[in-house]
Structure formats: structure tokens, C-alpha cells
Amino acid sequence: MFLRLYFYRLKDILFTKEIAIWNIFFPIILGTFFYLGFSNLMNESDLKLSPIPAAVVTESENTAFSEVLTSLCEEGDDQLFDAVYTDLETAKTMLNDNDVTGIIFIADTPHLMLSDNGIEQTIMQSFIQQYCNQADVLKEIAMKHPEKLSQAIDTLSSDVTYGHEISLANASYDPYMQYFYALIAMTCLFSASAGVHCLANMQANQSSLGMRREVAPVHKLTAIISDISATFTVQFLSVLLLFFYLIVILGIDFGQRILLILLTAFLGTLISLMTGLFIGALVKKNEAVQASIALVYSMGCSFLSGLMVEAIKDWIEHTCPIINRINPAALITDSLYALNMFESYDRYIRNTIILAVMAVILCLISYLLLRRTKYASL
Amino acid sequence: MSTPVVKIENLVKRYKELVAIDHFNLTVNEGEILGLLGPNGSGKTTTINCLLSLLSFDKGTVEVFGETMRPDSYRLKRDIGVVLQNVAVFDTLNVYENIDYFCGLYIKDKALRRKYVQEAIEFAGLSEFQKFYPKKLSGGLLRRLNIACGIAHKPKLIILDEPTVAVDPQSRNKILEGILELNRQGSTIIYTSHYMEEIEQICSRIVIMDKGRNLANGTSQELKQLIKNNETIYIDTLGLKNEHLTALRQMNHIYSVEYDQQQLIVKCSGGSHNLIHVLGFLQEQNIAFGRVYSELPTLNDVFLEITGKELRD
Ligand SMILES: Nc1ncnc2c1ncn2[C@@H]1O[C@H](COP(=O)(O)OP(=O)(O)OP(=O)(O)O)[C@@H](O)[C@H]1O
Ligand SMILES: [Mg+2]
């Protein structure tokens, strides 16, 4: 019974024009616009790299590091830092006055002092990190093959610059990847409308089809689960299709952890579907009203997560972070961002758990609401 | 006596102020075709929806096959076929698939289902339209699809709520015959309509309802005997005078005489040979007459007499 209901429902959904348009073509078209619009921007920002102003304070001698630092401060195409060698006091004043982005301490273990977060700070951190990772190697080269040192530094600097590019592609104010994350989130969130529609087709007070189906001897739970599964299948497939289009056709790089990215999309679709169910079960109005609410929900969440104005999400993070913690669109974009940016899974896992828990809660509430079985009015 | 297929007792359903069903009683026995006859808004659909446990109601009991009907009475629902007043089919499935879908909600066995679906298609005369999608069907064909979806699984109890609206007379007759055939094959049928001809044609028992109440119930004959009128005579004639009318009124069994636009209308209650007596009187008086015809009472007359209003507006 379940499979029959499922497959018929699948066909029903696939042949509904609105669903094809909104879930499949709209995201792809939007993605294409983003791609065309931002591929230029992306190239420009590559060119605009300028040296990062930094104060350098010597705590203790470290020849190898000094050597590396000096070579990265030399004027030229690959100049990374614009360094001012000074004492701690002056350096701190400069940092406070925003004359420099950070202070680099020359010491046995080189370290940083930063006052802010941002792309330049990230680059500086990345540089120190890279150096520390490879300090032993560099020291050895400096001692045994001084002539090869500059070559080694070049490698290091290009690693940092590479880090730089990654940061550019993903940092919060970058117009490029953030938009694609938001696009993915939006596509997931469109499932809310599908959830509303799915439920309306099952409820006697919403549609004659629902009425007809409620007089059939099919357990309500079976009916709901089969329909929801079919709706989910289509919704998730449309997200997969979008990924395929973005990654394979447009060549957009979402990083290496593709399975985890898909897990996020899976949960994102699930939670939106559950939200749709929840809206359908809770709002005692006709399907059109419920569908509008679902649309407002998906577009609203997408907007807050930076689909139209990328700075919104950051602004919320500073003013009311809780919204970003519970906005599914923000959780989805943040998970994708974290997967691509950070080695550690902490942030990803946190987001994933929130998504999963919210989905389960919505599902339970919807079930409780839907158990009511007779209608006061049809 | 065996348990009734449907037993509704003292059903009351209110929509806020409006009492849609007012202490309604109904018993349907096995093998019957019960006609629920009432004008628009009389509560037919509401009764059906309460019977099917779709609607909650304020008072009363509903039993089907001797058991209380509940939303989760899946076992009972298995034996009920429903054709709702509003067409309920999937726009995205074609005729065959729609019937197969709904039949499949009741019949698991594939081979049996295929047979049933085919029979339902024949039944509704949809053979040529199997691959059509509902959007491409005319209103009448859509109705026929709706019927096919409801009865394909050959249920013991079939409930049809105004199934023939917008169906042309020829197809309608075919459907009515089909319903009679389903009944012969053993289905008990509840049929609502405001077309008295339909109801008279197929129903073994008729319930007349208005304003949510069960006003009268019986066979068409029994209902007609309830009322005073049992024959109306129409005679086209010229030059009748008042004294003639008065004389006519004094004849046996005649309770109403009207003369308007050269047509004499005489209503009789009981008695026989009323027409011959009236014509004999006219000949005695040397009054020429033209067209003459006499009508037996219709359900409309029954309805008119019980409620004081016409069945159809
Ligand atoms: N959801 C509702 N809310 C309020 N009133 C309703 C509702 N549904 C029906 N009614 C009222 O209940 C009464 C009975 O309606 P119902 O649909 O049962 O009539 P019906 O006999 O089926 O009429 P028709 O021949 O037009 O189908 C009507 O007065 C109608 O206006
Ligand atoms: Mg009705």
C-alpha cells in the first residue's frame, strides 16, 4: 500500500507544473545569474589584493622567521605585508588607531595580536599558521641549504596566498560563495510550500481530494508518511539537481566534503517539509493562505541568511545571534561555509544537530495536530 | 431481521447558529436503493459527511454494518464506496490511473484490481478516454470518472451524492442502469439528488428531507398516497362560466377547480374514473373541449404538500 501511494504521489508531484518551475528551474536560473554576475566580481577582487599593513615587534631572535617575513615584505607582485618594525607600545597604539591590521611578534614561536576579525586578519593568521607548520623544515633549509631558502619561502607565500583566495571565496562578506550557499538554502526551504500542498491534498477540510482519501480505508499515518516521502524525494532530488548544475556545469567549488554537504541539504529539505506540514496543520485557513505563509517563511529565512543582501547575516550575528541559530537557511549556509572553510567539524556538527532537532520537534507537533480526525466544517 | 446497513439516529449538526441537520433519522436495509431527496441546502451532503465520519456532529449516533462509525473505522470503510458531490480526482493522473489509484486503496490484489478497473471503465463508458487527463475531460465525463473511482472496488455499500449533475440524459440513463445493476449484484445504495425523476426511476425507498429533517419516507407509491391529490386533470376549453365551475366543485372526489387562460384544472383526491365524470359533465352542458390530459401526482406534489414549496426553485 505504502509503495503504491508513494509512486502515484511521486508521479502526481512530478507532473505538477508549479513544482517543476519553482523547485527546479527557478533555482537554476537564479544560480546562473549569480554565476554570471559574480564571476566578474570574483576576478576583480583577485586583482585588488594589496599588502596588509602590519607592525612587527621583536620579542626574541628568530632568524629563519625574520628572513621569511622580510622576503614577504619586499615590494613587488607578491608582497604580502607592509611592515613597520617598532616597539610594543607604538605597535599597540598603531593597532588601536587602526593604522595596522595586526602585530606580528618575532619570537621562538611567532605569534600575532589582532583587534578585529576580517579577511586580512585571516590571512595573517593563516601565514603564521603556515609558518609554524613548516618552521622546522624552513629552519633546516636555512641552515643546510641557504641557497634554497628563497625558493622555500616562495612556496610558503604562495600557500598563504592560496589561503588568501580560499578566504576570499568564502569569507562572510564575499559576494561569491555566500550567494550560492543562500541559493541552496532557498531551494531547500521551498519544500515548505510542497509540505503545505502535500498536506492539503490529504485533509478533508482542504480539498475534495483530501475528503475522498479520508473516506478510504487507509490508515492516516500510512497516507501521511507515503505522501511526505514522495514529496521529500522530489524536493531532495531538485536540490541534488541544483548541486549537479552548480558543481558540474558551472564549476563552482563547494569544497571536498560533498557527502556532508549533501547531508546538510537533506536535513534542510526535511526541516522545511516539516515546517510546511506544521503550517498546514496549525493554520486553519485554506491552502492558498497556508501556501503564502510558507512562501513568506522560505523567502524570509533566505533573506535573513543573505540571499539578497549578503551583509544581513553578519549584522544579525552581531545584533541577535539567536536568529542565526534557529533560522534554517542561516544554519544551512553556515554549515556549507564551515565545511568549506574550517578543518574542524565543530561548527558543522552544531548546526546539523540544531537542524535535526528542530525537524523532529516540528514533525512531532504536526503529528499531534493532525491526529484530530473529524472536522467541524468542510 | 438482519442488522441495517446504515442506522442514523437523532443526528444533529450545527454550523454556529444554523442547524443543518435537525434530529435526523435514517435506516437503510441491505439490498435497498435509498433515495435522499431534498432541495439545495436541505442537508443531504452534510448527512453523508456525518455518516462517513468526516464531519463531527453535535448529537446522535451513526452505525454502519451494525458498528459505530469512526474516522478510524478502516474495516468498515473497506466496504463502502463513495462518490462525493465534488469531483475528487488527481489532475496529474489519467483516467485509468485515477481509477486504479482509488480502487487500489481498497483492493490489494493486482489481477483482481485490473479486472475491477476495467469493469469500472466500461461502467462509466470511459473506454475511449482511458489515457485522457481530467483537465481534458468534459464536465459530464469528469463526473463519470468520479463515479468510476468511487464504485470500482464493488463495495457492499455505495453512497452517491448527486453523481449525475452535468451528465447528459443518455449517459445519465446508462449510469442509473449501472447503479441498478450494482444493486442487483448485491450492493446497498444511498443516492442523493434533487432530481425526483432519477430518484423515482431507481430508488426502492425514498426519504424526503428539508431543512435537515426527515419529512417523509417510503416507496414512491407510499409517498404519493400520503397526499390528498392523486390526479390532476387538464382540459382546454372555451366559455366556461362560474356556475359550471361551482357545479364541478360539488362533484365527488374533486377538491380544487381552477379555470385560467382557457384551461380547466381539476384536482381530485381518491375515487376512480374522475376524468370520465368531468368530461361527461362538459358534454351534458354542451361545452366543446380540445386537448385533455390527466396527470398522476409526482414527488414534487408530495414535496409541495409537505413543505408548502416547490422542490425546484
Ligand atoms: N462548512 C459549512 N459552514 C457553514 N454552513 C454550511 C457548511 N456546509 C454546509 N452548510 C449549510 O448547511 C446546510 C446544508 O448543506 P448541504 O451541503 O448539506 O446541503 P445539500 O442538501 O447537500 O445541498 P445541495 O443540493 O446544494 O448539495 C446549508 O444551509 C448550507 O448552507
Ligand atoms: Mg449536497
Side-chain angles (χ1 to χ4, degrees):
Chain A
M1 179 60 74
F2 175 83
L3 283 181
R4 269 178 52 73
L5 293 178
Y6 174 83
F7 281 113
Y8 265 125
R9 196 71 201 166
L10 207 56
K11 179 173 183 214
D12 175 50
I13 300 167
L14 286 172
F15 279 59
T16 306
K17 265 195 236 91
E18 295 78 16
I19 294 178
I21 291 172
W22 284 99
N23 291 349
I24 301 176
F25 294 113
F26 181 64
I28 285 182
I29 290 168
L30 206 56
T32 312
F33 278 133
F34 284 171
Y35 176 75
L36 296 176
F38 300 136
S39 50
N40 294 336
L41 267 180
M42 177 63 188
N43 294 339
E44 275 170 30
S45 55
D46 251 358
L47 298 173
K48 275 190 287 185
L49 267 181
S50 55
I52 301 165
V56 180
V57 176
T58 309
E59 278 185 347
S60 61
E61 279 308 320
N62 183 337
T63 333
F65 183 64
S66 301
E67 197 71 32
V68 171
L69 195 56
T70 316
S71 77
L72 288 176
C73 295
E74 278 164 9
E75 286 192 21
D77 267 358
D78 56 353
Q79 181 185 4
L80 193 54
F81 297 118
D82 190 0
V84 184
Y85 289 79
T86 175
D87 59 87
L88 185 58
E89 281 308 304
T90 330
K92 276 185 175 165
T93 322
M94 290 172 86
L95 186 61
N96 280 337
D97 297 348
N98 273 335
D99 288 339
V100 293
T101 305
I103 306 170
I104 300 173
F105 293 96
I106 298 176
D108 275 349
T109 313
H111 54 103
L112 282 177
M113 184 187 279
L114 302 169
S115 68
D116 226 335
N117 282 317
I119 191 88
E120 293 187 335
Q121 287 80 354
T122 314
I123 294 173
M124 289 178 80
Q125 276 172 333
S126 157
F127 160 69
I128 296 287
Q129 188 123 37
Q130 291 278 347
Y131 175 81
C132 292
N133 288 346
Q134 297 178 31
D136 293 341
V137 184
L138 287 171
K139 270 183 203 150
E140 214 174 296
I141 294 173
M143 274 187 280
K144 292 181 183 160
H145 312 278
E147 74 284 357
K148 286 193 179 158
L149 185 60
S150 91
Q151 200 188 330
I153 290 171
D154 272 356
T155 322
L156 177 61
S157 116
S158 80
D159 275 357
V160 172
T161 318
Y162 174 65
H164 191 165
E165 267 172 19
I166 289 183
S167 309
L168 249 189
N170 299 301
S172 54
Y173 50 79
D174 175 68
Y176 193 58
M177 282 316 281
Q178 197 58 44
Y179 278 102
F180 288 106
Y181 295 152
L183 180 66
I184 299 282
M186 181 196 77
T187 312
C188 292
L189 260 62
F190 275 160
S191 303
S193 311
V196 164
H197 181 66
C198 175
L199 192 62
N201 262 332
M202 279 188 289
Q203 285 194 286
N205 59 351
Q206 289 292 343
S207 63
S208 40
L209 207 52
M211 214 158 138
R212 176 63 187 84
R213 297 179 66 197
E214 285 214 33
V215 298
V218 178
H219 197 286
K220 191 146 187 183
L221 208 55
T222 314
I224 293 182
I225 294 177
S226 59
D227 273 35
I228 290 291
S229 308
T231 310
F232 181 82
T233 308
V234 174
Q235 295 298 318
F236 189 55
L237 280 179
S238 69
V239 180
L240 290 185
L241 193 70
L242 178 65
F243 266 118
F244 176 82
Y245 179 75
L246 294 178
I247 295 176
V248 178
I249 314 256
L250 297 186
I252 290 160
D253 182 13
F254 282 91
Q256 297 306 310
R257 296 152 166 173
I258 252 334
L259 281 180
L260 291 178
I261 291 178
L262 293 185
L263 175 65
T264 301
F266 183 92
L267 283 174
T269 308
L270 188 67
I271 194 173
S272 316
L273 201 56
M274 291 304 150
T275 309
L277 274 194
F278 178 70
I279 293 172
L282 189 71
V283 180
K284 303 222 176 349
K285 290 275 156 34
N286 63 29
E287 190 191 340
V289 175
Q290 296 178 347
S292 317
I293 295 176
L295 194 66
V296 168
Y297 157 82
S298 18
M299 292 319 279
C301 288
S302 302
F303 175 75
L304 294 181
S305 77
L307 180 68
M308 294 89 175
V309 186
E310 16 94 18
I312 288 265
K313 196 176 150 197
D314 278 346
W315 181 76
I316 292 173
E317 191 65 46
H318 287 119
T319 49
C320 189
I322 182 75
I323 294 182
N324 279 348
R325 293 296 93 75
I326 57 168
N327 173 0
L331 289 169
I332 295 168
T333 53
D334 197 61
S335 296
L336 298 178
Y337 170 78
L339 274 180
N340 205 357
M341 275 296 285
F342 306 121
E343 275 300 313
S344 134
Y345 289 103
D346 294 352
R347 193 150 146 191
Y348 175 79
I349 290 172
R350 182 196 68 190
N351 292 342
T352 304
I353 290 175
I354 299 178
L355 279 175
V357 168
M358 290 205 304
V360 169
I361 292 176
L362 285 171
C363 178
L364 284 178
I365 299 178
S366 309
Y367 176 70
L368 291 178
L369 289 171
L370 288 175
R371 262 189 335 173
R372 171 212 59 208
T373 36
K374 274 191 194 177
Y375 301 88
S377 171
L378 294 176
Chain B
M1 210 179 114
S2 61
T3 42
V5 175
V6 172
K7 191 168 181 195
I8 298 177
E9 277 183 329
N10 263 322
L11 184 68
V12 177
K13 169 68 188 171
R14 289 195 195 88
Y15 291 113
K16 303 220 172 75
E17 252 75 286
L18 180 91
V19 183
I21 303 294
D22 188 2
H23 295 89
F24 185 84
N25 290 295
L26 177 71
T27 309
V28 185
N29 294 311
E30 200 176 328
E32 275 192 308
I33 302 184
L34 182 104
L36 208 52
L37 181 66
N40 293 140
S42 54
K44 303 183 293 292
T45 302
T46 307
T47 307
I48 299 297
N49 288 341
C50 291
L51 163 58
L52 291 169
S53 234
L54 285 171
L55 271 178
S56 60
F57 41 84
D58 301 272
K59 222 176 116 182
T61 54
V62 173
E63 282 179 19
V64 179
F65 304 121
E67 287 178 43
T68 302
M69 184 73 178
R70 285 178 228 284
D72 58 355
S73 304
Y74 300 119
R75 201 164 41 78
L76 300 182
K77 287 182 182 180
R78 198 169 292 281
D79 291 326
I80 305 176
V82 185
V83 178
L84 294 169
Q85 185 167 12
N86 296 322
V87 174
V89 295
F90 287 94
D91 285 339
T92 44
L93 303 182
N94 66 30
V95 165
Y96 184 93
E97 290 167 329
N98 261 302
I99 302 175
D100 183 55
Y101 177 90
F102 286 106
C103 187
L105 299 177
Y106 301 80
I107 307 285
K108 294 225 169 74
D109 182 80
K110 255 195 182 150
L112 184 65
R113 193 167 70 230
R114 198 167 309 131
K115 176 168 167 276
Y116 279 6
V117 171
Q118 217 51 57
E119 285 174 12
I121 288 175
E122 305 272 299
F123 175 87
L126 289 167
S127 307
E128 297 161 50
F129 306 99
Q130 290 192 38
K131 292 270 175 292
F132 277 52
Y133 285 86
K135 284 249 156 66
K136 297 262 162 73
L137 295 177
S138 70
L141 288 174
L142 196 59
R143 283 273 158 196
R144 279 148 66 177
L145 172 60
N146 196 37
I147 296 172
C149 290
I151 55 93
H153 58 287
K154 300 203 191 298
K156 283 194 217 155
L157 169 63
I158 301 178
I159 299 172
L160 302 113
D161 193 359
E162 306 203 21
T164 56
V165 178
V167 176
D168 62 50
Q170 210 182 341
S171 318
R172 174 181 304 200
N173 274 333
K174 200 160 163 276
I175 288 169
L176 294 180
E177 276 162 28
I179 291 171
L180 284 171
E181 178 56 33
L182 286 171
N183 178 246
R184 274 193 289 276
Q185 289 170 14
S187 299
T188 305
I189 288 163
I190 299 179
Y191 190 97
T192 88
S193 179
H194 55 258
Y195 294 127
M196 53 188 181
E197 297 86 353
E198 263 182 30
I199 295 263
E200 257 191 295
Q201 195 176 333
I202 62 166
C203 295
S204 56
R205 199 154 59 87
I206 299 164
V207 166
I208 294 184
M209 77 181 293
D210 187 41
K211 294 186 178 143
R213 281 172 301 144
N214 181 336
L215 294 181
N217 118 56
T219 62
S220 143
Q221 280 313 312
E222 286 165 354
L223 288 174
K224 285 170 188 169
Q225 278 161 14
L226 283 179
I227 59 172
K228 194 155 72 172
N229 178 306
N230 74 344
E231 187 176 10
T232 306
I233 298 167
Y234 299 84
I235 301 172
D236 288 353
T237 173
L238 294 171
L240 274 188
K241 305 206 174 69
N242 267 337
E243 60 218 59
H244 298 136
L245 300 183
T246 315
L248 276 171
R249 280 192 190 105
Q250 275 153 12
M251 290 171 67
N252 259 345
H253 303 306
I254 292 179
Y255 70 95
S256 154
V257 177
E258 286 165 43
Y259 184 54
D260 190 28
Q261 296 183 344
Q262 286 139 29
Q263 188 176 49
L264 175 68
I265 304 173
V266 179
K267 291 188 174 168
C268 319
S269 96
S272 48
H273 310 301
N274 290 320
L275 179 58
I276 293 176
H277 293 147
V278 173
L279 292 181
F281 171 79
L282 292 179
Q283 275 169 341
E284 259 170 41
Q285 304 291 321
N286 270 328
I287 298 168
F289 49 86
R291 204 159 55 109
V292 174
Y293 63 99
S294 137
E295 257 181 10
L296 295 174
T298 62
L299 288 174
N300 189 36
D301 297 319
V302 179
F303 192 79
L304 184 66
E305 225 179 282
I306 299 176
T307 66
K309 63 183 184 192
E310 300 270 338
L311 191 51
R312 265 182 246 162
D313 9 49

